[in-house]
Amino acid sequence: MGDNSVSSEDTPVLQDVLDALDDPECRAILRETVEPMTANELIDACDIPKSTLYRKLELLSSASLVRERDTINPGGGRVTHYERSFDDVTISMDDTGEFSVSVERPPQSTDERLADIWSMMGDEV
């Protein structure tokens, strides 16, 4: 899925957020990803096909609502976990009628920031 780590400065595109939140399968994924989960765990928890899951994760990543983290599998290779990356999403309209979106994100620990860097490095190799 590429570079899908989310920093606290990322401001998603309003339409991407609306598209993701309008999708029932994306909402199911968001409900399940309070704690990090693998794709296989999400397939079971959300009862959706694998190909659909990856399309929905891409949609959620584009909206900066889910982040992926890679960890080293003791048996070899990497394991990717997906986690909701926000606490609150607010959609508002200003005096001129323009809509905007703001995303409140939880603070990241040093370990989480290092894990994000590790995931980005893994994507480069």
Side-chain angles (χ1 to χ4, degrees):
M1 285 179 34
D3 177 17
N4 294 323
S5 62
V6 176
S7 73
S8 59
E9 294 84 33
D10 283 346
T11 302
V13 175
L14 174 64
Q15 192 60 53
D16 289 346
V17 173
L18 293 174
D19 290 344
L21 295 178
D22 187 46
D23 187 294
E25 291 164 330
C26 286
R27 290 193 308 268
I29 292 167
L30 289 173
R31 281 191 289 276
E32 295 296 331
T33 54
V34 174
E35 295 294 325
M37 296 181 77
T38 65
N40 287 334
E41 291 169 335
L42 284 168
I43 289 167
D44 292 340
C46 298
D47 193 31
I48 58 177
K50 188 176 192 174
S51 60
T52 301
L53 174 73
Y54 284 109
R55 282 195 312 275
K56 302 307 178 176
L57 286 169
E58 186 66 37
L59 182 60
L60 289 164
S61 289
S62 295
S64 299
L65 299 177
V66 166
R67 82 173 120 235
E68 67 179 60
R69 294 228 170 111
D70 291 330
T71 57
I72 299 297
N73 185 350
R78 298 187 306 178
V79 176
T80 301
H81 288 84
Y82 301 91
E83 180 179 27
R84 189 170 61 199
S85 64
F86 67 93
D87 287 332
D88 191 39
V89 175
T90 304
I91 298 169
S92 57
M93 185 172 68
D94 65 17
D95 294 339
T96 66
E98 290 295 315
F99 285 92
S100 64
V101 62
S102 62
V103 179
E104 181 182 320
R105 304 199 187 279
Q108 284 188 299
S109 70
T110 302
D111 289 344
E112 290 170 323
R113 289 192 302 274
L114 286 172
D116 282 346
I117 292 168
W118 174 255
S119 289
M120 286 186 289
M121 288 175 57
D123 291 337
E124 297 296 320
V125 292

